[in-house]
C-alpha cells in the first residue's frame, strides 16, 4: 500500500509494525524490482558521495567557480579544533559539513542533490554527525537515509522541493524536515515522532524565500544549509524529549506549500528580490558576470 499522506504513512507503519525506513525500503524493492542487498549497495554509494562532499571542505579550502563562496567549512573546522566553540562537536561538525557540501556543489564537485542541489548539505551533515554521535554503522545510517526518503515521498506527493515553486522553505525546509525525521528514527523514535519532527521543522522555516545572489546557488544558500542542519538536529532532540507538534505534519506541509505558491515570483529563485537585490547582492552579481 502506498501512503499518500503522513497520516497514512504512520498508519501503515503502525499496522505493519515497521519503521519509516522499512516502508521506503519495501517500496524501492517493489518499484525497482531489486534485492535488498542491491538496494543497500546503491545507497552505500550515495552515502559515500555524501561523506566525501561533507568532508572535503573541512580538510582543505574549497571555492565555488564564481568565487562567491568558499573556505568557510575549513575555517569552521579549524575553529572547532581550537576548542572554543559554543555548541560543541556534534553541532559544529554538522555546520562545517553543511558548508562543505555547499562549497563542493559551487565548485562543480560531486554532491547528492537530496532533495535538491541547493539543500545538498543538510541531510549528509545531519545523518553523518548524528550517526557518529549515536555510534551507528554505515548500514544504520543508510536506514536513516531511507527514513528520510519515506518523508520525502510524502513531500513530493503533496507539495514541492523546488525553490522556484515554493521558496527556500521548500528546498532547505524539506531537507531539514527529512533529516530530522530520520534522526528521530535513528534515536529509536516512532514513525509518529519522526513526522512530529518534520512538522516542527516546517513550522520553523515557514515563509523562507528563495533569493540567490546572481542566481547562483551560493549566497545565501550555503549558510541556509547550516541553519537547516541545526534545525534538524535541535528538533530531533525536542521530539526525543517528548515534545509534540500541535500541528500535524500534513497540515504543516500544506501550509508550506500554500505559502510557497503565495510568494511573489521575485522571491522564488528569480534573483529579483530579497538578498539578491540588496546593494551588495547586486554588486556581487556585477562582479561575477562582468569580472569587475
Ligand atoms: S535560496 Fe533558493 S537556491 Fe538557495 S538553497 Fe534556498 S531554495 Fe535553493
Amino acid at each position: 500500500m502506498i501512503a499518500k499522506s503522513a497520516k497514512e504513512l504512520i498508519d501503515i507503519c503502525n499496522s505493519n509494525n515497521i519503521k519509516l525506513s522499512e516502508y521506503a525500503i519495501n517500496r524501492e524493492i517493489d518499484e525497482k524490482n531489486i534485492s535488498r542487498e542491491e538496494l543497500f549497495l546503491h545507497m552505500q554509494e550515495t552515502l559515500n558521495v555524501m561523506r566525501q562532499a561533507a568532508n572535503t571542505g573541512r580538510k582543505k579550502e574549497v571555492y565555488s567557480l564564481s568565487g562567491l563562496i568558499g573556505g568557510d567549512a575549513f575555517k569552521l573546522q579549524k575553529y572547532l579544533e581550537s576548542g572554543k566553540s559554543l555548541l560543541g562537536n556534534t553541532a559544529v561538525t554538522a555546520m562545517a559539513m553543511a558548508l562543505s557540501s555547499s562549497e563542493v556543489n559551487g565548485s562543480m564537485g560531486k554532491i547528492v542533490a537530496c532533495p535538491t542541489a541547493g539543500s545538498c548539505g543538510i541531510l549528509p551533515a545531519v545523518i553523518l554527525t548524528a550517526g557518529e554521535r549515536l555510534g551507528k554503522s554505515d548500514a544504520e545510517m543508510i536506514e536513516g537515509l531511507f527514513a528520510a526518503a519515506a518523508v520525502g515521498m510524502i513531500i513530493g506527493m503533496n507539495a514541492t522541493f523546488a525553490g522556484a515553486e515554493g521558496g527556500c522553505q521548500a528546498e532547505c525546509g524539506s531537507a531539514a524536515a527529512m533529516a530530522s525525521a530520520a534522526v528521530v528514527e535513528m534515536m529509536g523514535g516512532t514513525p509518529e515522532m519522526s513526522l512530529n519532527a518534520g512538522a516542527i521543522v516546517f513550522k520553523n522555516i515557514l515563509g523562507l524565500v528563495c533569493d540567490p545572489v546572481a542566481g547562483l546557488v551560493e549566497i545565501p544558500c550555503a549558510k541556509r544549509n547550516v541553519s537547516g542542519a541545526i534545525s534538524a538536529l535541535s528538533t530531533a532532540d525536542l521530539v526525543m524529549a517528548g515534545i509534540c507538534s500541535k500541528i500535524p505534519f500534513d497540515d504543516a506541509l500544506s501550509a508550506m506549500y500554500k505559502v510557497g505558491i503565495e510568494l511573489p515570483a521575485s522571491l522564488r529563485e528569480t534573483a529579483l528580490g530579497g538578498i539578491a537585490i540588496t546593494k551588495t547582492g547586486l554588486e556581487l552579481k556585477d562582479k561575477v558576470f562582468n569580472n569587475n
Side-chain angles (χ1 to χ4, degrees):
M1 192 177 163
I2 293 177
K4 296 191 182 65
S5 66
K7 187 183 177 313
E8 285 183 18
L9 179 59
I10 292 167
D11 287 346
I12 291 170
C13 288
N14 287 347
S15 53
N16 292 287
N17 198 21
I18 57 171
K19 299 191 284 188
L20 291 178
S21 54
E22 205 55 32
Y23 169 83
I25 289 165
N26 290 341
R27 268 200 64 186
E28 285 293 291
I29 289 172
D30 282 353
E31 283 173 21
K32 294 203 167 83
N33 198 21
I34 56 175
S35 68
R36 192 182 179 94
E37 289 69 32
E38 287 171 309
L39 184 63
F40 269 67
L41 271 180
H42 176 69
M43 205 55 134
Q44 179 71 60
E45 285 169 26
T46 301
L47 182 65
N48 293 346
V49 174
M50 285 181 165
R51 184 177 271 133
Q52 178 81 17
N55 286 322
T56 302
R58 296 168 65 211
K59 293 181 190 145
K60 61 174 191 201
E61 293 183 352
V62 175
Y63 288 87
S64 64
L65 287 197
S66 71
L68 282 179
I69 60 166
D72 286 346
F74 188 69
K75 205 176 277 173
L76 190 57
Q77 182 61 32
K78 291 286 154 217
Y79 172 69
L80 173 63
E81 287 164 14
S82 76
K84 293 179 186 157
S85 86
L86 192 61
L87 292 179
N89 193 51
T90 301
V92 181
T93 299
M95 290 155 68
M97 284 185 166
L99 285 173
S100 175
S101 297
S102 298
E103 289 169 357
V104 168
N105 182 46
S107 74
M108 300 296 128
K110 197 169 177 185
I111 52 101
V112 179
C114 179
T116 64
S119 61
C120 70
I122 296 173
L123 207 61
V126 171
I127 297 287
L128 290 166
T129 52
E132 185 169 324
R133 174 83 180 88
L134 300 167
K136 300 289 185 189
S137 65
D138 271 19
E140 289 167 321
M141 285 190 253
I142 287 169
E143 283 185 9
L145 290 176
F146 280 116
V151 177
M153 288 172 191
I154 301 301
I155 298 171
M157 247 182 248
N158 295 284
T160 179
F161 297 109
E165 200 181 354
C168 199
Q169 51 161 15
E171 277 201 20
C172 286
S174 295
M178 292 161 63
S180 195
V183 172
V184 168
E185 179 176 302
M186 288 164 73
M187 295 178 83
T190 64
E192 188 170 13
M193 288 166 77
S194 287
L195 272 306
N196 260 293
I200 293 170
V201 168
F202 272 131
K203 286 189 297 180
N204 289 346
I205 205 171
L206 205 63
L208 187 64
V209 302
C210 173
D211 48 356
V213 168
L216 300 172
V217 186
E218 299 181 30
I219 301 172
C221 317
K223 294 186 183 78
R224 284 187 184 163
N225 275 258
V226 173
S227 58
I230 291 300
S231 170
L233 290 169
S234 58
T235 303
D237 263 343
L238 276 182
V239 169
M240 292 310 292
I243 297 167
C244 298
S245 175
K246 295 276 160 44
I247 305 295
F249 184 90
D250 289 319
D251 284 358
L253 181 63
S254 155
M256 185 281 281
Y257 192 35
K258 281 184 189 142
V259 167
I261 285 171
E262 285 169 13
L263 287 175
S266 60
L267 298 174
R268 286 192 275 132
E269 214 168 341
T270 52
L272 296 173
I275 295 297
I277 59 160
T278 56
K279 180 174 169 292
T280 310
L282 291 171
E283 284 168 4
L284 289 169
K285 177 186 175 189
D286 201 43
K287 212 170 172 180
V288 170
F289 292 120
N290 297 316
N291 274 329
N292 290 327

